[in-house]
């Protein structure tokens, strides 16, 4: 058998406050809601339904739960004092009024839930789009870095190719000289060699030079030392003088 909890209430021109006392309850077991003309609390073993004297605005009203119960803060649909909390009259009419308000609240709750779901979906979609945009931005940044790195590598390769081609051209480059009206092509490293020169001419010149050198050496070897030249000169002078004297004497005798 449900237990009807105790409650208190007070009103103003624009609203009313209903305080429902609950003892030893669990918040997970509590179900408190309101419609345009009904306040209901279901928290086993407690059960309370109040058919209000007037109507309230459920979208602007609220229920606050604390350790000792629940408090309804309601905003009146039409300002004014009621003078009493519960409605009085035919039970069937009151029941019909209650059911209509509950159906209206159910529809309102569905609309609110649908709107909340739509907002949530939009938020999720916006978040996903934001994530996609961020991912695209990161991906584009990575792709750009890759492209820049590839471009730099290609540039390095092209520079390397140009360097190698220049080296090859320098290695294969030929200079042009003129000899006897004939253009002679020779490699840079050829030291200006003449392809028309006699290959044996240099050998003959070398032999001639060697021969001249040997002749000079023989002459040098044939010259007597200084002291020997002096002695030979001194020995030959008396012999020349003696011959001259003899020749003069012979000419005188012939004249006589």
């Amino acid at each position: 058998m449900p237990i009807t909890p105790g409650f208190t209430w007070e009103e103003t021109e624009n609203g009313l406050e209903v305080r429902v006392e609950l003892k030893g309850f669990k918040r997970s077991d509590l179900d408190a809601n309101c419609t345009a003309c009904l306040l209901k609390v279901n928290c086993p073993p407690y059960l309370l339904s109040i058919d209000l004297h007037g109507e309230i605005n459920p979208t602007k009203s609220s229920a606050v739960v604390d350790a000792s119960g629940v408090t309804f803060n309601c905003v009146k649909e039409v300002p004014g004092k009621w003078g009493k909390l519960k409605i009085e009259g035919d039970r069937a009419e009151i029941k019909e009024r209650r059911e209509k308000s509950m159906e209206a609240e159910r529809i309102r709750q569905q609309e609110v839930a649908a709107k909340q779901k739509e907002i949530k979906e939009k938020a999720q979609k916006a978040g996903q789009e934001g994530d996609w945009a961020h991912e695209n931005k990161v991906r584009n940044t990575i792709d750009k870095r890759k492209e820049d790195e590839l471009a730099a590598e290609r540039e390095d390769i092209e520079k390397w190719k140009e360097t190698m081609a220049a080296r090859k051209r320098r290695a294969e480059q030929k200079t042009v000289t003129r000899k006897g009206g004939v253009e002679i092509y020779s490699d840079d490293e050829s030291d200006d060699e003449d392809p028309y020169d006699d290959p044996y001419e240099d050998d003959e010149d070398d032999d001639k030079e060697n021969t001249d050198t040997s002749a000079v050496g023989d002459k040098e070897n044939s010259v007597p030392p200084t002291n020997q030249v002096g002695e030979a000169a001194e020995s030959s002078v008396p012999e020349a003088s003696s011959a001259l004297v003899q020749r003069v004497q012979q000419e005188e005798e012939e004249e006589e």
Side-chain angles (χ1 to χ4, degrees), residues 63-83:
V64 180
V65 179
D66 56 31
S68 58
V70 58
T71 301
F72 290 96
N73 296 304
C74 304
V75 177
K76 292 179 179 179
E77 191 69 36
V78 179
K81 289 290 187 81
W82 292 351

Side-chain angles (χ1 to χ4, degrees), residues 150-164:
L150 289 175
E153 291 179 0
R154 293 191 188 101
E155 184 177 357
D156 292 340
I157 291 173
E158 292 299 326
K159 288 181 179 179
W160 176 79
K161 288 181 179 179
E162 292 177 0
T163 302
M164 297 302 295

Side-chain angles (χ1 to χ4, degrees), residues 24-190:
F25 74 98
K26 295 181 180 180
R27 295 197 180 197
S28 58
D29 296 336
L30 176 62
D31 180 18
N33 57 75
C34 63
T35 67
C37 58
L38 176 69
L39 298 180
K40 184 176 181 179
V41 175
N42 183 10
C43 183
Y46 300 102
L47 178 62
L48 175 65
S49 295
I50 301 175
D51 292 295
L52 298 174
H53 181 74
E55 292 186 358
I56 61 173
N57 187 337
T59 60
K60 296 180 180 179
S61 302
S62 64
V64 180
V65 179
D66 56 31
S68 58
V70 58
T71 301
F72 290 96
N73 296 304
C74 304
V75 177
K76 292 179 179 179
E77 191 69 36
V78 179
K81 289 290 187 81
W82 292 351
K84 48 186 166 184
L85 181 61
K86 293 183 178 181
I87 191 173
E88 296 178 354
D90 185 70
R91 290 185 177 182
E93 293 179 356
I94 295 174
K95 182 179 179 181
E96 182 179 0
R97 176 175 176 260
R98 178 193 302 175
E99 291 177 351
K100 286 181 179 180
S101 68
M102 291 178 65
E103 179 64 19
E105 181 62 20
R106 184 184 65 80
I107 294 173
R108 188 187 72 82
Q109 290 291 344
Q110 289 179 349
E111 292 176 352
V112 170
K115 189 172 182 180
Q116 290 178 347
K117 183 179 180 181
E118 182 181 357
I119 293 173
K120 184 177 180 180
E121 290 176 352
K122 288 182 177 180
Q124 290 178 348
K125 185 177 180 180
Q128 290 177 352
E129 290 177 353
D131 293 340
W132 294 338
H134 178 69
E135 290 177 0
N136 290 333
K137 184 177 180 181
V138 172
R139 188 180 298 109
N140 292 335
T141 301
I142 294 173
D143 293 340
K144 188 176 183 305
R145 288 181 180 176
K146 289 181 178 179
E147 291 177 358
D148 293 342
E149 291 175 358
L150 289 175
E153 291 179 0
R154 293 191 188 101
E155 184 177 357
D156 292 340
I157 291 173
E158 292 299 326
K159 288 181 179 179
W160 176 79
K161 288 181 179 179
E162 292 177 0
T163 302
M164 297 302 295
R167 290 180 180 177
K168 186 176 181 181
R169 286 195 299 269
R170 286 196 298 270
E172 295 177 350
Q173 186 177 8
K174 297 180 178 180
T175 58
V176 179
T177 58
R178 292 181 178 275
K179 188 172 184 180
V182 180
E183 292 184 352
I184 302 171
Y185 296 86
S186 59
D187 295 339
D188 291 341
E189 300 176 356
S190 62

